[in-house]
Amino acid sequence: DAGITQSPRHKVTETGTPVTLRCHQTENHRYMYWYRQDPGHGLRLIHYSYGVKDTDKGEVSDGYSVSRSKTEDFLLTLESATSSQTSVYFCAISEGGANTGELFFGEGSRLTVL
Amino acid sequence: SQKIEQNSEALNIQEGKTATLTCNYTNYSPAYLQWYRQDPGRGPVFLLLIRENEKEKRKERLKVTFDTTLKQSLFHITASQPADSATYLCALRGSARQLTFGSGTQLTVLP
């Protein structure tokens, strides 16, 4: 299994509270991604990173920010959580390039915003 | 707008039969297409990748086809087993760094 650890795995918080989810990898992969998964919508890309301090927005980036100060860590922050951000969040990594592009996923972080 | 559709939300088949899942897309010119398996409460796991210049790819009991004219991929599991029960996701790489997923088909193989 790819060395990807997400924390926390479960979190319940209140509307308006800041939340940070952490993704840690031991694979030294260049690319890291944050997806959210909701019933009926599948996996939707929030933000991704193609290197330290290099990040870009995905399909559903509003209300989220990310940071990557080290190769191994990719943080997802909800500055002021809303109930619509209740979801399961998955971190993924890939080596990148044209050869495979396959993603390795973490186990997910279930966030409930009350 | 770009869209990926997996035609069946749920598919039930009898053990030993071949399961066929469909992935259709619009307004993409993907360099390749991927299939993933996801079990409840777990992250997706990569199964197969097929490139735009490949018509078919096989891995053990799995077979994927890719028709860029029809804008469709078919995913087959032959001699299906109850252990194959899971949600299967197709994914397309449209731009250089982003992978976009369909909403998945939940497959149940009945013993």
Side-chain angles (χ1 to χ4, degrees):
Chain A
D1 288 345
I4 308 168
T5 305
Q6 292 186 228
S7 59
R9 294 290 314 279
H10 300 272
K11 186 171 181 66
V12 180
T13 191
E14 295 191 349
T15 298
T17 307
V19 175
T20 295
L21 305 180
R22 179 183 184 235
C23 179
H24 179 79
Q25 62 146 329
T26 58
E27 305 296 322
N28 202 34
H29 282 2
R30 179 182 175 189
Y31 293 87
M32 299 186 75
Y33 309 80
W34 277 108
Y35 285 87
R36 61 177 288 175
Q37 188 171 40
D38 305 287
H41 289 280
L43 284 158
R44 291 181 292 174
L45 183 64
I46 305 171
H47 281 280
Y48 63 99
S49 169
Y50 43 98
V52 173
K53 298 192 189 313
D54 289 324
T55 64
D56 207 346
K57 296 179 180 179
E59 176 188 359
V60 289
S61 60
D62 287 348
Y64 302 95
S65 62
V66 290
S67 66
R68 191 167 178 202
S69 58
K70 297 184 289 185
T71 298
E72 57 266 36
D73 290 325
F74 192 32
L75 303 181
L76 177 71
T77 298
L78 292 66
E79 299 291 347
S80 178
T82 67
S83 58
S84 64
Q85 294 176 312
T86 292
S87 187
V88 180
Y89 292 85
F90 285 99
C91 174
I93 64 175
S94 73
E95 289 184 283
N99 289 337
T100 65
E102 73 177 270
L103 300 189
F104 300 93
F105 282 85
E107 291 300 301
S109 295
R110 181 174 294 275
L111 175 67
T112 302
V113 183
L114 302 176
Chain B
S1 63
Q2 294 180 321
K3 190 181 288 187
I4 302 171
E5 287 185 341
Q6 295 190 242
N7 284 15
S8 303
E9 282 194 9
L11 178 65
N12 295 336
I13 65 165
Q14 209 64 40
E15 182 176 7
K17 300 295 186 182
T18 296
T20 299
L21 285 63
T22 305
C23 177
N24 294 297
Y25 58 93
T26 55
N27 295 322
Y28 279 96
S29 295
Y32 53 76
L33 185 147
Q34 301 180 21
W35 284 89
Y36 289 76
R37 169 184 173 141
Q38 186 174 22
D39 292 289
R42 307 295 298 275
V45 175
F46 172 80
L47 295 175
L48 280 169
L49 177 150
I50 185 165
R51 301 185 187 282
E52 60 180 336
N53 60 348
E54 298 174 317
K55 296 297 184 186
E56 182 180 298
K57 185 76 80 70
R58 292 176 185 261
K59 178 182 177 182
E60 298 173 349
R61 293 184 296 111
L62 308 180
K63 184 179 83 170
V64 172
T65 63
F66 192 14
D67 189 326
T68 55
T69 301
L70 291 178
K71 298 187 182 299
Q72 181 181 79
S73 174
L74 299 179
F75 177 82
H76 306 274
I77 306 175
T78 59
S80 59
Q81 305 165 0
D84 295 325
S85 298
T87 296
Y88 292 86
L89 307 167
C90 69
L92 296 176
R93 184 170 294 267
S95 61
R97 300 176 178 132
Q98 297 191 35
L99 198 64
T100 303
F101 286 81
S103 56
T105 297
Q106 185 176 341
L107 174 68
T108 302
V109 181
L110 303 168

